[in-house]
Amino acid sequence: MPVSNSWWFKFPIAIGLTAAIAASAYGFGIANKAPASKLQAADLLEQGFSLRAAGQLPEALAAFEQAIETKPNYAEAYTAKGALLAKQGKNSEAVAAFGQAIEADPQLAAPYLGWSQVLIQQGKFMEAKVVLSQARSTLKQQSDTQQTGVVNHLMSSF
């Protein structure tokens, strides 16, 4: 399948997949309605996912940022922030957030996947393959065959 037909179609799915991987890996669902000052970082992250799902993107971003303020090395919150910024087309900010997530937890595969998606959108396919191979390596170490298969599928798309 030509590159233009395969990766472009899968890119929006993959961006959503990054957020879904981050959310599902940590069991997040319905938002907590407590005041932000009383919420723990995980509650703020959960709230951000719920707000994002409801289409309230500025509020979701604020929740992710509050989670990061509460817990500065919260890789999952940086990943969620990166996925949201990528969805908004703020690629340089998204890459920075994914980089912070990787710095906080190099064994978390989702930020590698998100970063690769930004690179794919920018047409930087060779760079994306390098980042995807890092994601695949991380997933293999964790024996996550399902998500490894998703990464392999994305890598074979271009």
mmCIF file of all heavy atoms in Angstrom, residues 78-103:
data_model
loop_
_atom_site.group_PDB
_atom_site.id
_atom_site.type_symbol
_atom_site.label_atom_id
_atom_site.label_comp_id
_atom_site.label_asym_id
_atom_site.label_seq_id
_atom_site.Cartn_x
_atom_site.Cartn_y
_atom_site.Cartn_z
ATOM 1 N N TYR A 78 2.495 13.539 31.387
ATOM 2 C CA TYR A 78 3.208 14.156 30.262
ATOM 3 C C TYR A 78 2.779 13.515 28.945
ATOM 4 O O TYR A 78 2.618 14.200 27.932
ATOM 5 C CB TYR A 78 4.721 14.002 30.429
ATOM 6 C CG TYR A 78 5.342 15.002 31.370
ATOM 7 C CD1 TYR A 78 5.894 14.593 32.579
ATOM 8 C CD2 TYR A 78 5.399 16.357 31.053
ATOM 9 C CE1 TYR A 78 6.484 15.498 33.443
ATOM 10 C CE2 TYR A 78 5.991 17.273 31.913
ATOM 11 C CZ TYR A 78 6.530 16.841 33.104
ATOM 12 O OH TYR A 78 7.113 17.743 33.955
ATOM 13 N N THR A 79 2.576 12.199 28.959
ATOM 14 C CA THR A 79 2.143 11.498 27.745
ATOM 15 C C THR A 79 0.758 11.961 27.321
ATOM 16 O O THR A 79 0.514 12.227 26.135
ATOM 17 C CB THR A 79 2.153 9.975 27.980
ATOM 18 O OG1 THR A 79 3.470 9.574 28.341
ATOM 19 C CG2 THR A 79 1.712 9.226 26.739
ATOM 20 N N ALA A 80 -0.148 12.066 28.272
ATOM 21 C CA ALA A 80 -1.507 12.532 27.966
ATOM 22 C C ALA A 80 -1.477 13.966 27.443
ATOM 23 O O ALA A 80 -2.177 14.298 26.478
ATOM 24 C CB ALA A 80 -2.382 12.428 29.206
ATOM 25 N N LYS A 81 -0.657 14.787 28.066
ATOM 26 C CA LYS A 81 -0.514 16.175 27.611
ATOM 27 C C LYS A 81 0.025 16.198 26.179
ATOM 28 O O LYS A 81 -0.490 16.926 25.330
ATOM 29 C CB LYS A 81 0.429 16.927 28.550
ATOM 30 C CG LYS A 81 0.700 18.351 28.132
ATOM 31 C CD LYS A 81 1.671 19.045 29.101
ATOM 32 C CE LYS A 81 2.000 20.455 28.626
ATOM 33 N NZ LYS A 81 2.944 21.128 29.546
ATOM 34 N N GLY A 82 1.038 15.381 25.909
ATOM 35 C CA GLY A 82 1.601 15.322 24.558
ATOM 36 C C GLY A 82 0.589 14.880 23.520
ATOM 37 O O GLY A 82 0.507 15.447 22.427
ATOM 38 N N ALA A 83 -0.204 13.874 23.855
ATOM 39 C CA ALA A 83 -1.222 13.378 22.915
ATOM 40 C C ALA A 83 -2.265 14.458 22.629
ATOM 41 O O ALA A 83 -2.697 14.630 21.487
ATOM 42 C CB ALA A 83 -1.885 12.122 23.460
ATOM 43 N N LEU A 84 -2.653 15.186 23.662
ATOM 44 C CA LEU A 84 -3.634 16.257 23.476
ATOM 45 C C LEU A 84 -3.051 17.378 22.627
ATOM 46 O O LEU A 84 -3.710 17.885 21.706
ATOM 47 C CB LEU A 84 -4.096 16.797 24.832
ATOM 48 C CG LEU A 84 -5.093 17.943 24.791
ATOM 49 C CD1 LEU A 84 -6.369 17.536 24.058
ATOM 50 C CD2 LEU A 84 -5.425 18.399 26.197
ATOM 51 N N LEU A 85 -1.817 17.766 22.906
ATOM 52 C CA LEU A 85 -1.170 18.825 22.117
ATOM 53 C C LEU A 85 -1.002 18.390 20.662
ATOM 54 O O LEU A 85 -1.195 19.200 19.747
ATOM 55 C CB LEU A 85 0.171 19.196 22.744
ATOM 56 C CG LEU A 85 0.079 19.913 24.091
ATOM 57 C CD1 LEU A 85 1.440 19.960 24.773
ATOM 58 C CD2 LEU A 85 -0.483 21.325 23.919
ATOM 59 N N ALA A 86 -0.661 17.128 20.443
ATOM 60 C CA ALA A 86 -0.533 16.621 19.073
ATOM 61 C C ALA A 86 -1.881 16.680 18.359
ATOM 62 O O ALA A 86 -1.955 17.058 17.181
ATOM 63 C CB ALA A 86 0.004 15.194 19.084
ATOM 64 N N LYS A 87 -2.938 16.333 19.066
ATOM 65 C CA LYS A 87 -4.286 16.391 18.482
ATOM 66 C C LYS A 87 -4.629 17.817 18.058
ATOM 67 O O LYS A 87 -5.320 18.033 17.068
ATOM 68 C CB LYS A 87 -5.308 15.878 19.497
ATOM 69 C CG LYS A 87 -6.736 15.944 19.018
ATOM 70 C CD LYS A 87 -7.701 15.445 20.079
ATOM 71 C CE LYS A 87 -9.124 15.664 19.619
ATOM 72 N NZ LYS A 87 -9.907 14.467 19.604
ATOM 73 N N GLN A 88 -4.113 18.798 18.802
ATOM 74 C CA GLN A 88 -4.360 20.199 18.501
ATOM 75 C C GLN A 88 -3.384 20.758 17.464
ATOM 76 O O GLN A 88 -3.456 21.934 17.119
ATOM 77 C CB GLN A 88 -4.281 21.035 19.779
ATOM 78 C CG GLN A 88 -5.366 20.703 20.775
ATOM 79 C CD GLN A 88 -5.219 21.468 22.080
ATOM 80 O OE1 GLN A 88 -4.115 21.640 22.603
ATOM 81 N NE2 GLN A 88 -6.336 21.922 22.610
ATOM 82 N N GLY A 89 -2.456 19.932 16.976
ATOM 83 C CA GLY A 89 -1.493 20.374 15.976
ATOM 84 C C GLY A 89 -0.319 21.154 16.550
ATOM 85 O O GLY A 89 0.439 21.764 15.809
ATOM 86 N N LYS A 90 -0.152 21.114 17.850
ATOM 87 C CA LYS A 90 0.954 21.813 18.512
ATOM 88 C C LYS A 90 2.124 20.839 18.642
ATOM 89 O O LYS A 90 2.456 20.370 19.727
ATOM 90 C CB LYS A 90 0.501 22.341 19.871
ATOM 91 C CG LYS A 90 -0.628 23.353 19.752
ATOM 92 C CD LYS A 90 -1.118 23.800 21.117
ATOM 93 C CE LYS A 90 -2.261 24.793 20.969
ATOM 94 N NZ LYS A 90 -2.794 25.199 22.272
ATOM 95 N N ASN A 91 2.736 20.557 17.491
ATOM 96 C CA ASN A 91 3.710 19.471 17.416
ATOM 97 C C ASN A 91 4.948 19.687 18.266
ATOM 98 O O ASN A 91 5.408 18.754 18.920
ATOM 99 C CB ASN A 91 4.097 19.213 15.962
ATOM 100 C CG ASN A 91 2.941 18.664 15.164
ATOM 101 O OD1 ASN A 91 2.033 18.056 15.704
ATOM 102 N ND2 ASN A 91 2.964 18.881 13.861
ATOM 103 N N SER A 92 5.521 20.890 18.266
ATOM 104 C CA SER A 92 6.744 21.089 19.046
ATOM 105 C C SER A 92 6.465 20.958 20.541
ATOM 106 O O SER A 92 7.266 20.373 21.288
ATOM 107 C CB SER A 92 7.387 22.437 18.728
ATOM 108 O OG SER A 92 6.511 23.499 19.038
ATOM 109 N N GLU A 93 5.324 21.444 20.983
ATOM 110 C CA GLU A 93 4.948 21.295 22.391
ATOM 111 C C GLU A 93 4.666 19.831 22.720
ATOM 112 O O GLU A 93 5.002 19.356 23.813
ATOM 113 C CB GLU A 93 3.719 22.144 22.711
ATOM 114 C CG GLU A 93 3.963 23.644 22.644
ATOM 115 C CD GLU A 93 2.687 24.427 22.872
ATOM 116 O OE1 GLU A 93 2.089 24.292 23.954
ATOM 117 O OE2 GLU A 93 2.289 25.169 21.946
ATOM 118 N N ALA A 94 4.052 19.124 21.790
ATOM 119 C CA ALA A 94 3.760 17.703 21.992
ATOM 120 C C ALA A 94 5.053 16.907 22.126
ATOM 121 O O ALA A 94 5.187 16.088 23.040
ATOM 122 C CB ALA A 94 2.919 17.167 20.838
ATOM 123 N N VAL A 95 6.004 17.157 21.236
ATOM 124 C CA VAL A 95 7.284 16.445 21.285
ATOM 125 C C VAL A 95 7.992 16.728 22.608
ATOM 126 O O VAL A 95 8.566 15.825 23.221
ATOM 127 C CB VAL A 95 8.166 16.818 20.076
ATOM 128 C CG1 VAL A 95 9.590 16.339 20.262
ATOM 129 C CG2 VAL A 95 7.572 16.234 18.797
ATOM 130 N N ALA A 96 7.929 17.974 23.074
ATOM 131 C CA ALA A 96 8.549 18.316 24.359
ATOM 132 C C ALA A 96 7.898 17.524 25.494
ATOM 133 O O ALA A 96 8.593 16.993 26.374
ATOM 134 C CB ALA A 96 8.449 19.818 24.618
ATOM 135 N N ALA A 97 6.563 17.426 25.483
ATOM 136 C CA ALA A 97 5.859 16.675 26.525
ATOM 137 C C ALA A 97 6.205 15.184 26.464
ATOM 138 O O ALA A 97 6.442 14.551 27.502
ATOM 139 C CB ALA A 97 4.350 16.873 26.404
ATOM 140 N N PHE A 98 6.269 14.627 25.251
ATOM 141 C CA PHE A 98 6.646 13.220 25.115
ATOM 142 C C PHE A 98 8.078 13.004 25.612
ATOM 143 O O PHE A 98 8.371 12.003 26.266
ATOM 144 C CB PHE A 98 6.504 12.737 23.669
ATOM 145 C CG PHE A 98 5.079 12.665 23.187
ATOM 146 C CD1 PHE A 98 4.721 13.193 21.957
ATOM 147 C CD2 PHE A 98 4.090 12.056 23.950
ATOM 148 C CE1 PHE A 98 3.412 13.117 21.499
ATOM 149 C CE2 PHE A 98 2.772 11.982 23.505
ATOM 150 C CZ PHE A 98 2.440 12.516 22.272
ATOM 151 N N GLY A 99 8.967 13.950 25.313
ATOM 152 C CA GLY A 99 10.345 13.856 25.786
ATOM 153 C C GLY A 99 10.431 13.872 27.307
ATOM 154 O O GLY A 99 11.213 13.127 27.911
ATOM 155 N N GLN A 100 9.612 14.716 27.933
ATOM 156 C CA GLN A 100 9.579 14.767 29.401
ATOM 157 C C GLN A 100 9.045 13.455 29.973
ATOM 158 O O GLN A 100 9.514 12.986 31.019
ATOM 159 C CB GLN A 100 8.749 15.959 29.868
ATOM 160 C CG GLN A 100 9.445 17.289 29.584
ATOM 161 C CD GLN A 100 8.532 18.480 29.788
ATOM 162 O OE1 GLN A 100 7.452 18.554 29.213
ATOM 163 N NE2 GLN A 100 8.981 19.414 30.608
ATOM 164 N N ALA A 101 8.070 12.862 29.290
ATOM 165 C CA ALA A 101 7.533 11.573 29.735
ATOM 166 C C ALA A 101 8.608 10.492 29.658
ATOM 167 O O ALA A 101 8.755 9.692 30.585
ATOM 168 C CB ALA A 101 6.323 11.182 28.890
ATOM 169 N N ILE A 102 9.345 10.481 28.570
ATOM 170 C CA ILE A 102 10.404 9.485 28.394
ATOM 171 C C ILE A 102 11.502 9.690 29.432
ATOM 172 O O ILE A 102 12.026 8.727 29.996
ATOM 173 C CB ILE A 102 10.955 9.527 26.958
ATOM 174 C CG1 ILE A 102 9.869 9.039 25.971
ATOM 175 C CG2 ILE A 102 12.242 8.714 26.825
ATOM 176 C CD1 ILE A 102 10.155 9.331 24.522
ATOM 177 N N GLU A 103 11.827 10.940 29.697
ATOM 178 C CA GLU A 103 12.830 11.230 30.726
ATOM 179 C C GLU A 103 12.362 10.738 32.098
ATOM 180 O O GLU A 103 13.145 10.185 32.874
ATOM 181 C CB GLU A 103 13.094 12.740 30.774
ATOM 182 C CG GLU A 103 14.217 13.145 31.707
ATOM 183 C CD GLU A 103 14.483 14.631 31.664
ATOM 184 O OE1 GLU A 103 14.459 15.213 30.563
ATOM 185 O OE2 GLU A 103 14.713 15.208 32.740
#
